[in-house]
Amino acid sequence: MTKIAFVTAGGSKTEVPAQDGDSLMQVALEHGIEEITAECGGAMMCSTCHVYIDDAWFAKVGAAPEEELDLLGFASCEVRDNSRLSCQVKVSSELDGMVVHLPESQV
Amino acid sequence: MPQAPINDTVTIHQLIDDPYPIYRRFRQETPVVHVKAVGRTMLTKAAHTRAVKDNPGLFSSDDPGTPQTLAFRTRTMMRKDGEEHMCERMAMAPALSPKNLKQIWVPGYEVLTEKYLDALPRGEVVDLFSLLAGPISGRKVADFCGLTQVSDDDMQRWCQTLIDAAGNFGWFQDLFDKADKVNDEVDAAVAQSIVRLQGADDQSALATMINAENPIPLSQIQANLKLAISGGVNESRDSMLTTIFGLLTNPDQLEEVKRTNGWGGAFEEAVRWVAPIQVSSRRVTEDTEIGGIDIPKDEVVMTVQASSNHDEELFDEPEKFNAFRRPNPHQSFGSGPHHCFGTHLARMTVGKTMLPLIFERFPNMQLVDPDTVKWTGFGFRGPLSMPVRLQ
Ligand code: HEM
Ligand code: FES
């Protein structure tokens, strides 16, 4: 099964198994990653599922499309080139081992 | 599987006075329970309310039995699903883009805040409900809607009347009659504003909707504005007053919030502690099961976010105000596709603008007597007054 590692702003790392086809946001909620609030449940309305994709994986995931980038304007932490809304990133075997960094806060 | 147990002892008056002890008992004993007094099956656990709102296919917002349709004279987007809902919501969404929020609405609110704070009388007892929180919340929503000519008082009256009728499950005709008059007033104000805003370079909700390439019908434009009025004025007021109350009754927290600039966290905690909108409803589209209880097709379930926000599984000492609660996964802005449209506006204006400014202006503000502050409401909840002494 695909594995994803979430790393908090403080540096602590949690590796969890992820179902292919699920969004990163769903994976995080399922495994109690508290730094992802995901208030709108993936409806692309809240911007509280903000993550930074690790540089080594960013090319595989790709940059946020325009609509997503607009919504990221609501994010409470700095938006960087590798910012994504985790509800919009689908897990696949290609992403096995990916490292995802969590922002300090979501609201 | 078993049917939901029926509770026929709790009264609507008990729920209006203080629902929290009742919800605590429900969470412990009967988390999914049919409450006779409200004629609905209540969901009181955080996992259940969240799962329902995040699954709009199984739990539809289209509730043909809602008094809201009579109250607003039309079915609003709040009661629609899928494409239909998105189309009406997205028509208004550009008005509240991150750019507009940062360049127009927040700076505008800073100016308003200074002005309303300047006007407060000093050295005497002041009711922040009627002299600050109510009026400025009315002003904010009027300006956002593009109804700049409407007074603060009218905005507050419209909000209250629409809310009373939308939640009129007793189906009292006089509440619908009053709402009917308010609908006439809102529609007239909208017509007036349209003359001014047609083709204008203006970012208000009304201008955004009428000047779009393919505008939605006028009836839906009016409905969206009525939703913003009924969903934005009292809720902003109540969240502001609840945060002020929480901080004034916990001076040590107030000091720490000042020191760490933790106003946003205090606001989040206030809306968790007393959710301004306490319940929502969804219609079940297929026979299903929640928490081991059978829920038949077409039943309307009531998600009690007020209770979810006090769910012991997620929150330690939920009855206590703690501005430093982290994480704070409350559901006060709802979740799923109907997640509150005004969330970011409320967070930025009330949480990050008003709170620091009022405590900076009145560092020695004191509650006259916490015990005289009365809280009320079942569907919507907040304090009835907030008398403070300003120096
Ligand atoms: C602290 C302040 C506020 C709170 C606690 C709040 C709460 C909520 C909640 C719980 C819902 C979801 C209802 C449901 O799921 O059925 C909602 C929806 C909505 N809110 Fe707010 N609200 C606030 C401020 C505002 C403001 C300032 C506006 C307008 C500018 C607004 C406009 C709306 C609209 C239009 C909807 C319907 C969204 C839809 O159906 O897609 N709200 N609000
Ligand atoms: S969960 Fe709301 S935008 Fe991703």
Side-chain angles (χ1 to χ4, degrees), chain B residues 44-62:
Chain B
T44 60
K45 294 287 286 177
H48 295 156
T49 55
R50 169 101 206 218
V52 162
K53 286 202 173 174
D54 282 354
N55 186 351
L58 186 52
F59 301 100
S60 165
S61 287
D62 180 4

Side-chain angles (χ1 to χ4, degrees), chain A residues 25 38-49 71 85-88:
Chain A
M25 178 278 280
E39 277 180 17
C40 78
M44 269 281 270
M45 281 169 184
C46 70
S47 206
T48 62
C49 62
L71 192 59
L85 291 174
S86 58
C87 67
Q88 302 304 310

